[in-house]
Amino acid sequence: IQSPKGLGSALKQGIKRASGKIIVFMEDDLPFGLQELNLARKIDVTGKYFILSKYHGNIRGLGLRKIQGLVFIFLRESILGLKVKDSQATFFGDAAVIKDLVSSSQQKGFLITLEFIALARKMNVKITEIPCESLANSIRPTTLRLRDILQMFIGLFEVKQYLKEAVNDKSKD
């Protein structure tokens, strides 16, 4: 299917068209493979949202992706108060929950997974991080540009503002 440009737009299109009771999604430049699908099949996902977290497993070396990830964890916790280790991982959960997250989401870019976590928390959805080690090699090399770092930093404040406005809108109802 075609979608407007951006990870968020693509995920939203795919999730809206998905059928079944479990939805799994992952990014193509992260070190996870289809092996994680077996885990999703074994767990009761009813009303829940799961993160397969590479920051609990054995991460080798101190590469650029790891440094970026650790800084992003610090900023995410400081700005949004999200106490998760990994906001850019493999995710799976109850299709109804994930479709609700999509209907509440405003992100079109790569911060959609972070926004989903923040929205799930606001919606009192149980979020579980499952420690895992990388089971596959990356499909493509990690790309990191200064523009991406700036967009992530600014995006954290945009998500914070959106969540604040969403709470204020609900209190007016």
Side-chain angles (χ1 to χ4, degrees), residues 7-133:
L7 173 65
S9 296
L11 272 176
K12 287 177 187 180
Q13 287 293 326
I15 290 168
K16 285 177 184 175
R17 292 180 178 219
S19 60
K21 65 180 210 173
I22 299 173
I23 293 178
V24 178
F25 54 96
M26 60 189 83
E27 296 184 39
D28 69 345
D29 69 336
L30 297 176
F32 294 96
L34 297 178
Q35 300 93 327
E36 286 83 9
L37 295 176
N38 291 328
L39 181 60
R41 289 185 187 112
K42 294 177 185 175
I43 296 176
D44 177 19
V45 301
T46 307
K48 300 173 189 162
Y49 188 75
F50 294 88
I51 303 168
L52 292 175
S53 177
K54 64 189 170 293
Y55 285 99
H56 292 278
N58 180 21
I59 304 174
R60 295 172 201 86
L62 192 61
L64 189 57
R65 172 67 85 168
K66 184 175 179 183
I67 293 168
Q68 174 199 11
L70 294 173
V71 169
F72 194 57
I73 288 169
F74 171 76
L75 291 173
R76 187 175 57 236
E77 287 182 3
S78 300
I79 296 168
L80 292 173
L82 294 181
K83 302 290 184 194
V84 298
K85 295 286 185 194
D86 203 346
S87 67
Q88 296 176 311
T90 297
F91 300 87
F92 66 93
D94 187 321
V97 167
I98 293 173
K99 287 179 182 272
D100 281 346
L101 296 175
V102 166
S103 68
S104 299
S105 171
Q106 73 166 11
Q107 284 291 315
K108 295 177 177 72
F110 52 83
L111 287 178
I112 190 166
T113 54
L114 175 134
E115 184 190 47
F116 279 1
I117 294 166
L119 288 168
R121 186 181 71 179
K122 289 280 185 204
M123 297 164 64
N124 294 317
V125 171
K126 181 167 175 46
I127 301 171
T128 303
E129 279 190 279
I130 301 172
C132 70
E133 296 201 23

